DNA sequence: CGGAGTTTTGACTGGAATCAACTGCGGTGG
DNA sequence: CCACCGCAGTTGATTCCAGTCAAAACTCCG
């Protein structure tokens, strides 16, 4: 969850030092909590656990997923530094979260978090903003899963990865894919074989070029966009779409 | 703050006229706005429109959808009386909404809505609650679209419909399906033919029985639950229907 | 009664899943 | 040092579920 674009504007830790004490941010809220570390592959929380804490990711990548009775896994999103995790009104988590890479999080008691949020007119719109971004990402994902074919899914995913990097620093053609093929497959509703075949095909067509174990370069960005299939959509990347209305002041 | 799935409690339109002024609800907030009517098949708003208003559905059923460049349609959800529509922080709607049946809505200026929300400590958690429920529904849908087969999708959908009716009145085995096969297909990521075939098969197995044009009876509820595929999930319905048989007397 | 739209049914196709074998890399220990 | 193992990823052969194309049947309304 919260995997979508624009929260870097709010939470990105590249944003530098200027944060006046009169303008608390979600990030600063977690700032004092001790850091907890998780090895790759270990669980931060399980579906069904008592939803007693809210987390902020400070380092690494996490996967949010659910498992069907017979073992089928669905990854509903990935979490990156700055993302918030565990916000809900149910008293149990309705998904599990594991570390994809070595990862660090800060933890906040749920009640305390709610208190802070409900009393701070600065924090509230920030949280609200996150929820809306998350919802938008979920809708994109539903479109992908409902109607896109394997190639479109993989291309959409690669663009999502590219967007993350682009947001942090300009013009980086080398993208790090932290997750395994299995993670990608379970996120895209495909099998590892299909993901692999599709990537191979994209590489052989010169659209992308693998670069080491978990890296790849995008050689034909425009082609990738076309192949992602979001036909009439204008670029969600910059200004036009990301422009946000100011919520409550 | 953040009371449990208060949707029907807040929004149920059976609640009649009495709303004490000391306990504002989202419903009462919209109460004074004029009612707008829409014929079946007409649009309430389009993706890309200026997101100038928030709506409350007061009657009928709406579909929320997006269209890919080449015409593929994805319905991301249906809206019923009491549901709120158009809440986001983007300045353009990112989905279209049409009336499935004859429908009525009330409209609220976005800025005014934001004001009301941000100044009312009663309204805020209600809105928050809606967003969380919506998010939970979206995740269920991602699971359905990513990993469930045609039969499981259709059964999950029928259960969703059944749950709506159950919430309103007890023990109603006849369910009204307001939408067409095409709507169902576009919601479930299938084709009309596959939906039709699957329903026919369920009927021939005695799990369901069609009842008129848009109605059907669920004859074997437990079977339907099993076929929906949400393996280890406990019953999200309040009853312990499936569980009773297992208990020693 | 007729005609358009919706749904069902049937025959066939195709894209992704499945099953299976192989490659390549990284770590480990003899 | 390198032989061995284990895991992630790739590649190939085959299967199967849902999509596609086509036509018939049913409904709703004027």
């Amino acid at each position: 969850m919260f995997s979508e674009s624009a929260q870097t504007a709010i939470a990105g830790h590249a944003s530098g030092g200027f944060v006046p004490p009169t303008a608390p941010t979600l990030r600063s809220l977690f700032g004092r909590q001790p850091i907890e570390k998780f090895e790759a592959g270990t669980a931060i929380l399980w579906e069904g656990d008592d939803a007693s804490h809210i987390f902020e990711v400070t380092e690494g990548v996490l996967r949010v997923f659910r498992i069907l009775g017979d073992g089928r896994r669905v990854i509903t999103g990935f979490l990156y530094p700055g993302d918030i995790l565990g916000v809900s009104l149910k008293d149990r988590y309705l998904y599990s979260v594991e570390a994809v890479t070595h990862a660090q999080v800060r933890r906040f008691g749920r009640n305390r978090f709610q208190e802070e949020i409900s009393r701070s007119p600065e924090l509230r719109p920030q949280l609200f903003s996150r929820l809306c971004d998350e919802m938008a990402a979920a809708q994109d994902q539903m479109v992908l899963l409902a109607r896109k074919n394997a190639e479109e899914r993989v291309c959409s995913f690669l663009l999502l990865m590219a967007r993350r990097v682009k947001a942090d620093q300009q013009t980086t053609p080398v993208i790090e894919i932290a997750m395994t093929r299995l993670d990608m497959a379970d996120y895209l509703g495909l099998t590892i074989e299909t993901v692999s075949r599709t990537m191979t095909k994209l590489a052989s067509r010169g659209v992308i070029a693998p670069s080491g174990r978990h890296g790849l370069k995008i050689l034909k960005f425009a082609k990738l966009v076309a192949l992602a299939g979001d036909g009439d959509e204008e670029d969600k990347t910059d200004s036009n779409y990301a422009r946000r209305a100011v919520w409550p002041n």
Side-chain angles (χ1 to χ4, degrees), chain A:
Chain A
M1 66 203 312
F2 297 138
S3 53
E4 195 44 86
S5 55
Q7 75 248 70
T8 32
I10 292 166
H13 51 334
S15 61
F18 180 67
V19 180
T22 49
T25 60
L26 284 176
R27 180 163 179 66
S28 68
L29 183 61
F30 282 92
R32 317 200 142 191
Q33 305 305 112
I35 283 190
E36 297 174 48
K37 302 189 178 194
F38 291 87
E39 282 313 306
T42 58
I44 284 78
L45 59 87
W46 290 104
E47 174 179 356
D49 279 1
D50 222 59
S52 52
H53 291 86
I54 314 289
F55 301 82
E56 185 207 20
V57 183
T58 57
E59 199 177 313
V61 183
L62 311 184
R63 56 175 166 257
V64 180
F65 65 96
R66 280 169 57 184
I67 305 268
L68 292 183
D70 55 353
R72 284 172 288 184
R73 186 179 72 158
V74 180
I75 294 180
T76 56
F78 295 103
L79 297 171
Y80 294 88
D83 288 340
I84 305 290
L85 150 65
V87 178
S88 162
L89 38 65
K90 303 284 185 285
D91 60 355
R92 314 227 152 207
Y93 297 120
L94 9 87
Y95 41 73
S96 304
V97 180
E98 290 175 351
V100 172
T101 65
H102 175 82
Q104 298 181 358
V105 305
R106 296 182 201 264
R107 183 194 298 253
F108 216 94
R110 190 194 184 183
N111 291 332
R112 261 187 72 211
F113 182 79
Q114 288 179 8
E115 250 173 58
E116 295 286 348
I117 291 296
S118 58
R119 94 154 141 252
S120 163
E122 281 89 15
L123 256 35
R124 251 186 279 123
Q126 291 176 43
L127 180 63
F128 189 82
S129 162
R130 300 301 190 90
L131 288 176
C132 288
D133 281 350
E134 192 184 348
M135 199 62 231
Q139 280 179 0
D140 285 348
Q141 190 68 0
M142 285 191 269
V143 170
L144 180 146
L145 293 169
R147 289 288 179 235
K148 288 186 180 178
N149 64 27
E151 188 174 80
E152 292 170 321
R153 293 183 198 204
V154 170
C155 291
S156 298
F157 177 77
L158 295 180
L159 282 176
L160 210 62
M161 295 295 107
R163 211 163 290 147
R164 280 204 57 76
V165 179
K166 270 247 208 101
D168 282 18
Q169 60 183 101
Q170 289 305 55
T171 63
T172 306
V174 181
I175 298 174
E176 289 299 312
I177 310 285
M179 52 290 290
T180 67
R181 290 291 130 96
L182 184 57
D183 287 330
M184 289 178 56
D186 286 348
Y187 180 62
L188 298 176
L190 300 170
T191 61
I192 47 176
E193 292 95 331
T194 298
V195 170
S196 181
R197 275 186 253 272
T198 306
M199 301 267 296
T200 303
K201 199 171 63 179
L202 288 174
S204 75
R205 283 204 267 161
V207 180
I208 61 174
S211 165
R213 197 94 194 87
H214 283 279
L216 67 78
K217 274 180 251 180
I218 293 180
L219 303 178
K220 299 177 182 173
F221 192 84
K223 190 65 177 283
L224 198 62
V225 171
L227 290 173
D230 307 79
D232 49 19
E233 292 190 22
E234 53 245 75
D235 59 320
K236 292 186 164 181
T237 329
D238 31 12
S239 50
N240 267 338
Y241 245 85
R243 206 185 335 161
R244 49 181 71 243
V246 195
W247 260 112
N249 4 340

